[in-house]
Amino acid sequence: MNKCGKHQPGDVMVPTGKRAAVNSENRIPQNRDERPQKDSKEQALKSVLLEDLPIKRLSHKNITIEGYSRAAFQTYWRIPEFRLGFDLGAQPWAFMGTPSWFVSHTHIDHVVALPAYVSRRRMMRMEPPTIYLPEQAVPLVEKLLHVVARLDRGRLPCQLIPAAPGQEFELSRELVVTTVPTQHTVPSLGFIVWERRKKLKPEFHGLPGEKIRDLRLSGVEVTNEIRLPRVAYLGDTRVDVLDEYPDLYRAEVLIMEVTFLSPHHRGEKIRKFGHVHIDDLVARRDRFQNELIIASHFSIRYTPRMIEKLARKAVPDMLGGRLQLWL
């Protein structure tokens, strides 16, 4: 575990749920004649201060998927119920309270906001965040944060966790994140978020609750752990990773890049630079068991209207309504 900065004695941390707010409503004007003009100025200031980056939201079962992604521009996602996010290509103010982030790779549109995120949490006296990222990137990101801290003359406390393919990170009793190797132009990883549950072993089915309790208290393991792949996130990658790691096809929610849609973009060049074409989805349509597939990270060559048109031409049924275009 690598640390960027340390707590200093006397630092006061507040719960991550607390925020600073602009509270102009509580200010009382000196006289009634001033009120309309003053309110107008304060409302304008408030809207400027609280204007945030674009965020699209989608609910699925008991989780919410939030974020925005456009190739070469910015990518950021989070699942607020799991208290984790993916990639830091920008940092909406609303995302600041999320304490754990999994960075797929270090291209600028996926990582540039990391220093700002760490700095904001320090400014708001929140606990230092935990950032998981490809192990090859950790030394360079440490240097980056050190330089930014010197430029800013402020500490950037965080924990950088080097991650390698095939690793497992326990976030809570219920949640585990595993890593899969992806194929891009720099070291990169994909992530699967698993929900852990306990299931009674078959041999104890039908026993009264008191008997099961007594067995548990005597040291007998009466349950098995089962894992459900809830969310898979791929970052930027060639499509091959889906075939090599079939659990990705089973995740309830699959968030993946579909950078290219036009039939005029050459497949060999797309593969060379580690990206996905929508034809890659069409070729695998019968393998997707996912309940929701989010296609994102579209090239800035395409307008939203073009994306919609090209996607629906390639996949008229939108994979049975499961394919969502993140526009």
Side-chain angles (χ1 to χ4, degrees):
M1 181 180 297
N2 294 277
K3 296 188 177 181
C4 308
K6 300 178 180 178
H7 294 297
Q8 298 297 322
D11 276 359
V12 178
M13 297 295 176
V14 298
T16 56
K18 294 188 177 179
R19 305 284 189 278
V22 176
N23 192 359
S24 60
E25 290 85 353
N26 292 334
R27 296 177 59 190
I28 302 173
Q30 293 178 350
N31 59 65
R32 293 184 179 180
D33 293 336
E34 292 180 8
R35 186 165 192 153
Q37 182 179 3
K38 199 164 189 177
D39 282 353
S40 176
K41 287 181 179 179
E42 289 177 352
Q43 287 300 321
L45 177 62
K46 183 176 180 180
S47 71
V48 169
L49 288 175
L50 296 185
E51 186 175 351
D52 214 339
L53 291 160
I55 301 172
K56 179 175 178 177
R57 293 179 173 87
L58 191 156
S59 295
H60 180 75
K61 292 187 174 178
N62 62 340
I63 62 172
T64 310
I65 301 96
E66 300 181 328
Y68 183 79
S69 179
R70 215 57 190 309
F73 183 41
Q74 53 194 23
T75 292
Y76 44 91
W77 303 85
R78 76 163 180 170
I79 313 295
E81 293 83 359
F82 292 165
R83 303 184 74 235
L84 62 81
F86 303 107
D87 285 344
L88 289 157
Q91 177 59 202
W93 186 262
F95 285 16
M96 184 179 57
T98 300
S100 298
W101 287 81
F102 292 82
V103 174
S104 64
H105 65 289
T106 53
H107 277 159
I108 292 297
D109 57 324
H110 291 256
V111 79
V112 70
L114 194 159
Y117 163 65
V118 175
S119 176
R120 286 177 182 178
R121 284 185 65 93
R122 180 187 63 82
M123 179 180 67
M124 300 304 295
R125 297 186 178 183
M126 294 179 173
E127 289 290 340
T130 303
I131 317 291
Y132 303 83
L133 67 168
E135 57 185 350
Q136 301 92 326
V138 170
L140 292 174
V141 172
E142 286 179 332
K143 290 180 181 179
L144 169 68
L145 291 172
H146 177 70
V147 170
V148 173
R150 290 190 64 187
L151 289 169
D152 190 55
R153 296 191 180 182
R155 296 180 305 109
L156 293 176
C158 66
Q159 293 181 336
L160 296 183
I161 309 295
Q167 276 194 282
E168 179 176 298
F169 299 100
E170 184 176 277
L171 299 186
S172 67
R173 284 195 312 175
E174 294 80 22
L175 294 179
V176 171
V177 177
T178 58
T179 60
V180 296
T182 51
Q183 301 159 332
H184 199 42
T185 57
V186 295
S188 60
L189 292 171
F191 307 100
I192 304 176
V193 184
W194 301 82
E195 182 177 330
R196 298 191 290 193
R197 297 179 184 175
K198 294 290 186 179
K199 186 175 182 180
L200 190 66
K201 291 181 177 180
E203 58 265 35
F204 301 121
H205 287 178
L207 289 180
E210 297 82 359
K211 179 64 174 176
I212 294 172
R213 180 200 61 200
D214 292 343
L215 287 169
R216 183 184 295 114
L217 291 174
S218 70
V220 176
E221 185 59 63
V222 297
T223 59
N224 288 320
E225 180 184 280
I226 62 170
R227 294 188 176 189
L228 305 176
R230 298 297 311 277
V231 177
Y233 175 71
L234 292 184
D236 292 2
T237 181
R238 295 207 306 259
V239 75
D240 308 66
V241 64
L242 288 170
D243 306 326
E244 294 168 6
Y245 295 90
D247 284 335
L248 296 168
Y249 284 122
R250 298 196 304 111
E252 285 182 11
V253 178
L254 172 62
I255 304 171
M256 64 179 297
E257 67 126 298
V258 184
T259 304
F260 294 97
L261 300 104
S262 171
H264 303 297
H265 287 128
R266 292 178 298 163
E268 65 272 15
K269 194 170 183 180
I270 292 170
R271 287 180 58 83
K272 177 182 177 182
F273 290 101
H275 287 298
V276 173
H277 192 285
I278 197 163
D279 289 346
D280 295 323
L281 273 66
V282 175
R284 293 162 175 78
R285 62 167 299 133
D286 294 334
R287 303 183 198 177
F288 292 103
Q289 303 168 50
N290 317 90
E291 297 174 12
L292 177 64
I293 303 154
I294 295 177
S296 65
H297 197 264
F298 301 110
S299 169
I300 56 176
R301 295 173 176 85
Y302 310 123
T303 65
R305 181 178 293 184
M306 290 172 63
I307 294 168
E308 187 86 29
K309 180 179 178 180
L310 291 167
R312 291 190 177 277
K313 184 176 181 180
V315 195
D317 71 336
M318 301 300 279
L319 297 179
R322 294 174 296 152
L323 181 63
Q324 293 284 329
L325 306 178
W326 206 259
L327 297 172

